Amino acid sequence: DIVMTQTPLSLPVTPGEPASLSCRSSQSLFDGDDGNTYLDWYLQRPGQSPQLLIYTLSHRAPGVPDRFSGSGSGTDFTLKISRVEAEDVGLYYCMQRMEFPWTFGQGTKVEIK
Amino acid sequence: EVRLVQSGAEVRKPGESLKISCEGSGYSFTDSWIGWVRQTPGKGLEWMGNIYPGDADTRYSPSFQGHVTLSADKSTGTVYLQWSSLRASDSGIYYCARKTGGFHGWGQGTLVSVSS
């Protein structure tokens, strides 16, 4: 199975400041056949179901604010929040869809300082 | 509006059977894969498997294969996750989610508690 490792596990942030979350995979998530990188990002706010933020490396899901962006390549990936807002607190997960079984990272908890 | 509505919380004893549901609306039910994800305090989020309601094609995680069964009823727009013999370790929150380039659209979750 592909192992997904997220860092840091906890990230205190200041509203209005940028934030950066990392995710690393044990194997490349780049599919040379179609040129896609199968890495998604999810946010789970307290008491809610997860919601999709970014899919296939860098595509924002409909309705997701443009302060969220995804980047990276191969095995190293980053989710950036350009200016953190209070509503951004919660658990952030990366997930790989490159091969079965799909696997999630353990999550990064973002909280306001 | 795309919606996935899951059945309510369940309490069972080890060895008992269970079937939980996820009803989709607001989109073409047969044209999107539906996945199931378990959440537990110890293991976080775990992908269990996907089903394509159009032809009932399924993909299972090896961690769950043989222990759970995914199914779909096209007439009611509902997918199901079932166990024939529950274990205490099956306790957790189970989410269904619609796959459209990632899991975009999640149900509200079904809490399953298995205890003697």
Side-chain angles (χ1 to χ4, degrees):
Chain A
D1 298 2
I2 296 178
V3 178
M4 306 298 289
T5 304
Q6 292 185 242
T7 55
L9 295 182
S10 179
L11 182 62
V13 296
T14 301
E17 294 295 308
S20 181
L21 290 69
S22 294
C23 174
R24 177 168 290 180
S25 58
S26 61
Q27 299 172 37
S28 176
L29 304 185
F30 177 73
D31 187 334
D33 291 337
D34 62 16
N36 288 322
T37 299
Y38 289 99
L39 186 281
D40 305 327
W41 289 95
Y42 296 87
L43 164 60
Q44 186 174 31
R45 295 189 174 100
Q48 296 186 17
S49 303
Q51 67 172 96
L52 181 65
L53 294 175
I54 303 289
Y55 65 95
T56 321
L57 183 65
S58 59
H59 301 270
R60 261 189 311 277
V64 173
D66 60 7
R67 63 178 182 274
F68 290 95
S69 63
S71 64
S73 64
T75 62
D76 286 285
F77 311 99
T78 302
L79 176 71
K80 291 183 179 176
I81 310 173
S82 59
R83 293 174 306 281
V84 172
E85 297 190 5
E87 66 179 19
D88 299 337
V89 299
L91 276 163
Y92 287 77
Y93 296 96
C94 57
M95 185 191 86
Q96 67 82 20
R97 290 184 288 120
M98 179 60 194
E99 67 176 41
F100 293 117
W102 295 353
T103 45
F104 290 87
Q106 73 274 49
T108 292
K109 186 176 184 179
V110 171
E111 50 195 2
I112 299 296
K113 280 184 183 176
Chain B
E1 179 194 5
V2 173
R3 293 192 71 197
L4 294 175
V5 179
Q6 298 184 229
S7 49
E10 302 277 3
V11 179
R12 292 286 190 278
K13 290 180 167 50
E16 294 185 339
S17 62
L18 176 64
K19 192 174 188 177
I20 63 175
S21 66
C22 168
E23 182 177 359
S25 62
Y27 70 98
S28 177
F29 178 73
T30 55
D31 291 346
S32 296
W33 287 84
I34 296 289
W36 287 90
V37 174
R38 181 173 76 180
Q39 185 167 35
T40 59
K43 295 187 176 182
L45 296 174
E46 299 174 273
W47 173 76
M48 303 176 67
N50 295 343
I51 184 166
Y52 189 74
D55 60 7
D57 190 12
T58 53
R59 300 283 188 274
Y60 290 97
S61 166
S63 297
F64 295 91
Q65 177 111 40
H67 184 55
V68 301
T69 301
L70 304 185
S71 59
D73 183 339
K74 289 189 285 189
S75 67
T76 61
T78 304
V79 296
Y80 299 94
L81 170 62
Q82 67 180 88
W83 298 259
S84 59
S85 181
L86 285 160
R87 310 164 182 158
S89 58
D90 292 319
S91 296
I93 300 174
Y94 291 83
Y95 294 101
C96 63
R98 177 180 173 229
K99 178 189 170 302
T100 56
F103 283 135
H104 186 202
W106 293 61
Q108 81 276 23
T110 296
L111 176 63
V112 173
S113 299
V114 184
S115 174
S116 55

